Structures are given as C-alpha cells and as structure tokens.
Amino acid sequence: MNVSAWSIRNPIPAVMLFVLLTFGGLLSFNAMKVQNFPDIDLPTVTVSVSLPGAAPSQLETDVARKLENSIATVQGLKHITTKVQDGAATLIVEFRLEKPVQEAVDDVRSAVQRVRADLPADVRDPVVTKLDFAAQPVLAFTIASSQMDGEALSWFVDNDITKKLLALPGVGAVNRVGGVTRQVHVDLDPARLQALGASAGDISRQLRQVQTESAGGRFDLGGSEQPVRTMATVQSADQLADMQIALSDGRRIRLDQVARISDTIAEPRAAALLNGKPVVGFEVARSRGASEVEVGHAVQKALADMRAQRPDIELTEAFNFVDPVEEEYNGSLHLLYEGAILAVIVVWLFLRDWRATFVSAVALPMSVIPAFIGMHLLGFSVNVISLLALSLVVGILVDDAIVEVENIVRHLRMGKTPYQAAMEAADEIGLAVIATTFTLIAVFLPTAFMSGVAGKFFKQFGWTASLAVFASLVVARVLTPMMAAYILKPIVTQETEPGWLRWYMRAVTWSTHNRFKTMVLATLFFFGSLAMIPLLKTGFIPPDDNSQTQVYLSLAPGSTLAQTTAASEETRRRVMQIPHVKSVYTTVAGGSAGGDPFANFGTPETRKATLTIKLDPRATGRASR
C-alpha cells in the first residue's frame, strides 16, 4: 500500500495521527527527568564488614582473606579490591559488564553467607550493596544559629532537617558532616574496682542491659487488649550514676561509687569548615531515577520555608551541583532551537518559497516531539547524552522532507497541479527516502549496543537518534506529501537561480571539467585530516567550565584529624589567594562531594579531606589554577 497516496486522499486521519503523536510526545517530555548523565548500572558490589577494636592485620587474616577466597569462586568476577583499616574492612567486587547487576549482588551475598560461620563471632553482619553512582551529593549547606550550640545544631540537622528533606520526592539521603554527637562517658576508677573485687568486664556486662526495651506480650484490661513491655532505660546521666551494680560476692553498689559519669560529647572523628571556620554541614543526595533539577528546587524551597519558621538559623550554600545541570539543560535546548531555526533559514534560501519552506520546516518538531514517546517508554531521561543526539540529528530530520518537497516542486514545474505532483513525486521518491533513513538508523543504532562503560552511556544516544530519524521518515512519507498537495501552489512562471549561487555553480563546473585535479585535492584533504588526529586531545568527556572545583588531600596513614585539618587549612589559605575564589568548603573524614564513589564506602578516614572551591561566575572572568 502506498502510504503517501493514502495520506493525500485522507488528510484528516494523517493530521489527527500527528496531533496525537505531538500530544503524547509533550506529555512524555514533561514526565522525563532532567539529569546530568543517565543513571547507569555497573556490576560492582561492595561488602562492608565491621569489627570494632580489631587491628588491620587481624581483619586481613580473619575476615578479608576468607571473604576474598569465597567471592573469588563467583562466575564473571573481574577484580577484588580490599581496603582494611582499624575496625573495618571494605571489599569492592567488580564483575564483567555482561554480568547482570542483581545477579552479581545475589552471588556475592551467597558467597559471604557461605563463610559467615567461619568469621569471628563478634563480627557484625557484613553489608552487601551495589555501587550506586546516583547516590553522590548534589547539594551541601552549612548551618549556624545564635541560639544553639554545636550539639544542638547537630541534633537539629539529624532530626528536623533530615526528616523534612527526606519527605521530599527524589531526595535519597541527607548526611551530616562535622558537628558533634552527645555521649555519656563512664570513666572507671581502677583503685576502687580493685578494692571491691570487681572488674571492668562486670561493669560492662551490666551496662549493656541499660537502654533496652523489649516486647513482653499482652494482657486483657477492662475488656481490651494492652501490650506489655519490658523497660530498662535511664533518662539522664544522673539516673545512670544511681544505677545499682551487683558484685560477684552479692553486694550492690552505685555506679558513681566506682566511676565518674559525665554527660558530654563524643570525640570528633570528622570536621567541616567554611572559609576556615568550623561549621555543621549536611549533604543532600538524590535517589536513583530522580531529577537533579527537581530535587534542587524542592530542597531550596523547603529550606526557605525553614528559614522563615526559624529566623535564628543561618543556612549557607557550600556547593551546588544542580545549577550546572540546569545551565547545561537550558543551554542545550537553546542550541537545539537555534539549530532548528538555522536549518529552516537554509531551507528557505535554497527553496525560495515560503510555502515549501513551511512544509519542510514542519518536519523538525514533528520528528523531535514524537521521539520523546519512545524515549520515555525506554526509561530514558533528558540528559547530556540524549540532548547531544537530538542536537546532532536536528539537521538530518528535515532531509527527507526536503527531498520530498524538492521532487514535488520539480513535478510542479512540469505544469502539474499540486495534488497530482504530490501523488506522483511521493511515489517516485519513496524508496530513496526509505533507504536514506534506514541507512542513518544503521549508523546510529549500533552505538546503543557498544560494549564497555561507554556503551552504558551511549545506549541512550543511539536509540534517541534512531527514534528521531525514524519519526522523520514517518513525517516525510505521511505528513509532507499531504501538506504539499494542499498548501503548495502551481508554478506558472519560469524560475531562475539566484545570483549568490553563481560562485557555487562555477566551482561545480570547474570540478566536473577537472576531475583528476579534484580527485587529487580530495585525497590530499583526506590524508591531511587523518594527519591531524594525533594532535587532538583524547578523553571520554570534555573538560567542563563550571564555577566550582574540588581539591583532594590524602595524608600518610595514621594521620590524626588535627593534622589533616591543619594541612587542609594551609591548602585553603593558598587557594584563597587566587583571584575569583569566593569560598572554600572543607570536609575532613566525611562528605563525599565530587569524590571517588569507590572511596566513599567503609569507615571514613581521618587522613583524607576534600576542599570544594566556589568561583566567580564565568561571566566575571576565569580563576587562575
């Protein structure tokens, strides 16, 4: 069946088809999430094991080696990387890319369970998780208050802010950086313990029973059921001091008789500083599949409401990875619009007929918008890769329509009516248009099946370009001939070439009369282009030019928190001397902004620090690096 002839004879169904496709495409576009890069799944699994107080040598022998030997038998394994430190061990298990992620997680979990009984009895249950690149923070803030100290601010972040932000759609995690944690110290007096014949172990065993609450069944009271609970809790350090301790000889003493109890804060194991001043910070990460832009706007609005409710708190933005994503998204759309407008202008310059130009130009939106339906059904997002594909094919989408219109115009110059010219020209050129389109699909679609990490990204590139090109074929075979039949007018005057095309025609004439010279010049140009390839820089992603950057510090193993903080402060002072640096947000032994996702598992190390540097906007100049 000739689809073009059917469309010309039945214009209303053709118009309604593209009305529905446009409506569905717009709905799909609004439903798609805006992200920097597409969410990808890599078959990489982490195993975290904790044994408080154990030395690295003990963990390596008793825990890490047993886990490695068991996991090494899993099929498809590529690498195992183990990081052992005081009290914790982290194994990063990398599989070949062909391995399904969930299967990799299940295999590793089964391997861990096989040796669970061989691990030390006091080892906490190993935690098996898959690597999630989407869990990287996108926003960070610092908080200060004139009415709360460090402990109260820390609790305010852990309780109020965390609860409020986690209730927002798309927010996956809120992590506090810096601050302090309340802790009750029980400092035993060795002399008194010895005099009473008690040991620290006896005291410790009885203290473990404090702050416990367990279910005790139920009973009937007044015709209704009521739960029964067994409670052994204390509400304050004073109540803990009055706690009765049973000695081995039957005597009972108060805890404050053999120990000094103090309600204080835990020893800091992490720090956060903004421009050198200690602060309490928190980082916000999005959940998988969520939009960075939507999460950023929702978080900013929630924090603005919190500022209005609590005028005493002061929230400062430490870093923002949402604005660059939004800028790239808006910039890509603007370039897409500009490319479409330029394509229409070029078509008008050559066709020199506003009716023919309009018929050709309709192919652009009618090809791009329906492509969003397929992208949404495939689970794609609006990101750098998918927008790159649309920007690349925006000039190609109008090609099929131009071929159709140009052939119809050729038949119009023969004296035919637009209806007759559209019927005959569309049937004449149809096979060539179909062959051209599927040739382009054969070029773009294989990129969606590339191997390696690049293939994970370019899956969306190949499918997006192919969907848009296929949509342009449907437009060229269904909509363009129908519009040409009812919009174009008969040509009654002889048409001449414009004067600005004379230079081009002279070049074409010279090339056809000097075929050997043309071939030599083309060959030299080809090999000259190949010779330029080694001069080009290589890389998977071009360097960005955002108004923020990161500096990472790693001191020698065993460095204390104070030493790392001092080194990071010296680095900050040097960085602040560079022009256009606005602020420096420093995190020591905590925070994961812009860091290596492989390094953020396990217990944070006090020897590592990250400096997030905010620069002036690009419009005001570039910072010297």
Side-chain angles (χ1 to χ4, degrees), residues 4 45 95 125 140 315 408 456 548:
S4 299
V45 184
F95 291 87
D125 288 336
L315 289 167
I408 293 173
K456 297 288 186 178
Q548 54 193 9

Side-chain angles (χ1 to χ4, degrees), residues 514-524:
N514 299 271
R515 289 174 291 180
F516 179 76
K517 294 180 180 179
T518 303
M519 196 65 181
V520 170
L521 292 175
T523 303
L524 292 176

Side-chain angles (χ1 to χ4, degrees), residues 571-599:
T571 305
R572 182 196 63 83
R573 283 190 289 269
R574 296 187 180 185
V575 169
M576 291 296 291
Q577 297 175 2
I578 300 174
H580 304 293
V581 173
K582 294 177 60 178
S583 64
V584 179
Y585 172 63
T586 305
T587 58
V588 182
S592 55
D596 182 4
F598 291 95

Side-chain angles (χ1 to χ4, degrees), residues 184-472:
V184 176
H185 286 188
V186 179
D187 300 317
L188 298 175
D189 188 338
R192 294 185 180 181
L193 286 176
Q194 187 176 8
L196 294 172
S199 66
D202 298 333
I203 306 296
S204 178
R205 279 191 296 271
Q206 297 186 53
L207 286 179
R208 287 196 188 101
Q209 301 174 5
V210 179
Q211 299 302 106
T212 60
E213 184 175 337
S214 60
R218 62 179 178 83
F219 70 99
D220 295 332
L221 178 65
S224 61
E225 293 184 354
Q226 296 292 335
V228 178
R229 292 181 297 164
T230 302
M231 301 178 62
T233 61
V234 294
Q235 303 298 324
S236 64
D238 293 337
Q239 293 184 13
L240 184 63
D242 294 337
M243 177 182 172
Q244 296 292 318
I245 302 295
L247 301 180
S248 57
D249 57 1
R251 291 179 297 169
R252 303 181 68 86
I253 61 172
R254 294 196 317 272
L255 181 61
D256 60 355
Q257 293 181 292
V258 293
R260 180 169 53 88
I261 294 87
S262 56
D263 190 350
T264 179
I265 59 176
E267 178 187 1
R269 300 294 298 169
L273 302 96
L274 181 63
N275 295 329
K277 297 181 179 179
V279 293
V280 179
F282 60 93
E283 299 176 345
V284 182
R286 68 176 177 90
S287 58
R288 182 177 177 81
S291 167
E292 284 106 334
V293 176
E294 293 180 2
V295 169
H297 291 171
V299 169
Q300 295 285 7
K301 184 178 183 301
L303 294 181
D305 295 341
M306 185 169 290
R307 289 190 187 99
Q309 297 172 2
R310 296 288 303 269
D312 60 295
I313 65 173
E314 179 183 354
L315 289 167
T316 305
E317 186 179 89
F319 68 78
N320 188 328
F321 291 156
V322 175
D323 287 346
V325 176
E326 191 169 9
E327 290 176 5
E328 292 175 0
Y329 167 72
N330 293 329
S332 298
L333 288 184
H334 290 161
L335 291 177
L336 193 63
Y337 300 149
E338 293 174 6
I341 293 172
L342 290 175
V344 173
I345 292 175
V346 171
V347 170
W348 180 80
L349 288 175
F350 281 89
L351 296 181
R352 301 179 304 282
D353 185 343
W354 72 267
R355 293 177 183 272
T357 302
F358 174 73
V359 173
S360 302
V362 167
L364 278 172
M366 291 298 101
S367 301
V368 173
I369 295 176
F372 291 125
I373 300 176
M375 295 170 61
H376 179 61
L377 293 177
L378 290 173
F380 295 169
S381 61
V382 181
N383 52 69
V384 173
I385 304 299
S386 57
L387 290 175
L388 172 64
L390 293 177
S391 301
L392 181 63
V393 302
V394 68
I396 301 175
L397 301 179
V398 77
D399 286 354
D400 292 341
I402 292 175
V403 172
E404 294 270 4
V405 172
E406 182 63 26
N407 200 42
I408 293 173
V409 171
R410 185 176 66 85
H411 280 262
L412 288 175
R413 289 174 181 171
M414 298 178 184
K416 301 177 183 178
T417 63
Y419 187 94
Q420 183 182 7
M423 291 287 287
E424 297 180 5
D427 182 63
E428 183 180 70
I429 204 71
L431 186 60
V433 171
I434 294 173
T436 302
T437 301
F438 278 96
T439 301
L440 293 172
I441 293 177
V443 171
F444 288 114
L445 190 57
T447 60
F449 301 97
M450 292 171 56
S451 60
V453 177
K456 297 288 186 178
F457 286 91
F458 279 89
K459 176 183 178 181
Q460 297 198 16
F461 175 87
W463 278 109
T464 300
S466 300
L467 289 170
V469 171
F470 182 78
S472 72

Side-chain angles (χ1 to χ4, degrees), residues 5-44:
W6 175 86
S7 175
I8 294 172
R9 296 191 187 99
N10 303 277
I12 294 180
V15 172
M16 293 306 301
L17 170 65
F18 281 92
V19 169
L20 292 176
L21 289 176
T22 302
F23 185 70
L26 293 176
L27 290 179
S28 299
F29 179 77
N30 291 329
M32 294 168 66
K33 304 300 182 181
V34 178
Q35 299 175 348
N36 188 20
F37 288 103
D39 289 333
I40 62 173
D41 278 327
L42 293 180
T44 302

